């Protein structure tokens, strides 16, 4: 699992690319039944997500997650996020986590 902080401008599209690897760092195969989800919350204890997206594409063994302008049009500030992978056996792995900063924009 990797920790990585992100910064996104409020209301912008955002793409993030991650890979799934084993303990030795070798890239693992992804299957069409695998599920990858991006989730973010302002407060870790709140019941609902501020962002929750499963819009993904798998290209050359890499996972490309997409956040739409609607996804990122949330209040300015710092959030906590993670990207979780679930396989066909319902094994869950957190691939990446960190802080997400939603920053201001000028142009609507």
């Amino acid at each position: 699992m990797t920790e990585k902080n992100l910064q996104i401008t409020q209301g912008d599209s955002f793409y993030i690319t991650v890979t799934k690897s084993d303990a030795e760092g070798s890239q693992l195969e992804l299957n069409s039944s695998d599920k990858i989800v991006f989730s973010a919350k302002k407060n870790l204890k709140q019941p609902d997500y501020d962002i929750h997206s499963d819009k993904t594409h798998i290209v050359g063994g890499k996972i490309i997650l997409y956040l739409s302008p609607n996804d990122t049009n949330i209040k300015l500030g710092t959030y906590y996020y993670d990207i979780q992978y679930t396989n066909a056996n319902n094994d869950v792995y957190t691939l990446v986590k960190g802080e997400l900063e939603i920053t201001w924009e000028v142009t609507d």
Side-chain angles (χ1 to χ4, degrees):
M1 193 259 325
T2 303
E3 287 198 33
K4 180 177 181 176
N5 294 334
L6 301 175
Q7 188 176 66
I8 303 173
T9 300
Q10 183 184 45
D12 279 6
S13 298
F14 188 78
Y15 294 87
I16 183 170
T17 302
V18 295
T19 56
K20 181 176 157 261
S21 55
D22 62 17
E24 288 79 40
S26 299
Q27 190 170 318
L28 298 174
E29 289 283 324
L30 296 166
N31 300 310
S32 60
S33 61
D34 295 344
K35 182 177 174 185
I36 299 99
V37 176
F38 180 101
S39 302
K41 291 181 175 185
K42 183 79 170 161
N43 181 323
L44 292 172
K45 295 182 180 182
Q46 72 188 52
D48 297 325
Y49 298 104
D50 291 292
I51 301 174
H52 192 72
S53 177
D54 62 357
K55 296 176 225 127
T56 60
H57 299 285
I58 298 172
V59 179
K62 295 185 180 197
I63 304 160
I64 301 171
L65 286 142
Y66 170 66
L67 300 179
S68 71
N70 190 53
D71 292 327
T72 65
N73 193 20
I74 58 178
K75 290 183 180 182
L76 302 180
T78 303
Y79 295 77
Y80 300 96
Y81 84 93
D82 67 18
I83 299 171
Q84 282 194 336
Y85 161 82
T86 306
N87 65 19
N89 296 328
N90 287 321
D91 295 324
V92 177
Y93 302 94
T94 300
L95 302 177
V96 182
K97 69 179 181 178
E99 291 183 0
L100 166 65
E101 183 74 23
I102 299 294
T103 63
W104 54 271
E105 66 176 339
V106 174
T107 307
D108 289 332

